[in-house]
Amino acid sequence: MAIHALTMLARWDDRTLTSAEIAESLSSNPVLVRRILGNLRDADLVWSTEGRGGGWSLVRRPREITLLDAYAAVEQGPVLSRHPHSPNESCEVGRHMRGVLETEFLDAERAMEQRLAATTIADLVQQVLIAERSRGTA
Amino acid sequence: MAIHALTMLARWDDRTLTSAEIAESLSSNPVLVRRILGNLRDADLVWSTEGRGGGWSLVRRPREITLLDAYAAVEQGPVLSRHPHSPNESCEVGRHMRGVLETEFLDAERAMEQRLAATTIADLVQQVLIAERSRGTA
DNA sequence: AGAAACCGTAACTACGATCGTTGCAGTTTC
DNA sequence: GAAACTGCAACGATCGTAGTTACGGTTTCT
């Protein structure tokens, strides 16, 4: 959803887009868009101008923004579910499970993040344009 | 959490464990354990016997059960959050975003799953035993 | 036979995260 | 001064997960 917004900003990077315009494409509402883009702004991915005629634009070029950047800015909790509470310390397995699992899970999450970092917003724009062109000729 | 249970079954694979014993180590309760192990049973990872003296045991050897097996049996929804509802089809970007994102996300999830498939329950038992030994000498 | 110790499952509550809306304050432009 | 924006807080709806209780079925032990 953050990626959708970034892709739109990259597709029309000659002008700024308003929250309402982006919300329109997401079939959502402007406040939600501002919330998400607010996170992206804190991560220095986008930029906003207030007042009439204001809106959002990218800070870096689309080629320099990866899906991981967007993901890291928005997502907070870990992907793989940990224990809701500490296991029993008096059990031989329970004592060490937390640490062992943490290592494995972090590794797995790293693997996913590396894959996300391999794709940029520019790549997505490219794919959208290609799909759009083939739609026109269909 | 499913992995914790599998590791316990592997650690004491000379006998069956009851839901209550596993719940004890998880600081949880037997019903929750049965729910999770029920999924693992549907995935042919564990086996249960009813009645007095019954309990759970592994179907395959610990070396032949990967973290991905456990993950796939328990987790259902996708890890990466998709759009809650369809985007606007009348927008050039919205039209194709779903398909493009789906590909990227599936690839990323595959990367994570491959990492999970690289570790087996036997590996975890090994790590727990090592940690337990070093605890004894500390 | 009957009690005890198991699993299997459904129903219900509690909790937290996400989504969505409304409302209002601040800022810039026309 | 009105209009068009962002920024932000508060609130309610919804949903998935965790946890509990309750009850029924199955096997073993005495």
Side-chain angles (χ1 to χ4, degrees), chain B residues 51-129:
Chain B
R52 179 168 183 158
W56 303 87
S57 37
L58 297 177
V59 169
R60 298 183 236 160
R61 285 177 303 176
R63 286 190 61 161
E64 294 166 342
I65 303 179
T66 71
L67 299 192
L68 176 57
D69 291 327
Y71 166 79
V74 171
E75 217 75 15
Q76 34 206 0
V79 174
L80 266 21
S81 68
R82 267 67 168 178
H83 282 103
H85 44 67
S86 295
N88 190 340
E89 291 291 326
S90 65
C91 165
E92 180 182 322
V93 171
R95 261 198 296 274
H96 306 109
M97 210 58 210
R98 181 183 285 279
V100 170
L101 263 189
E102 193 66 20
T103 306
E104 295 295 328
F105 280 6
L106 282 180
D107 275 5
E109 288 167 359
R110 293 285 168 272
M112 188 186 71
E113 291 171 2
Q114 282 180 13
R115 176 61 187 80
L116 288 177
T119 302
T120 69
I121 296 299
D123 294 331
L124 295 191
V125 172
Q126 190 73 9
Q127 290 185 44
V128 165
L129 291 179

Side-chain angles (χ1 to χ4, degrees), chain B residues 5-13 17 22 37 46 56-58:
Chain B
L6 286 174
T7 305
M8 286 192 68
L9 289 175
R11 167 66 183 80
W12 292 289
D13 60 353
L17 298 182
I22 299 174
L37 289 185
V46 299
W56 303 87
S57 37
L58 297 177

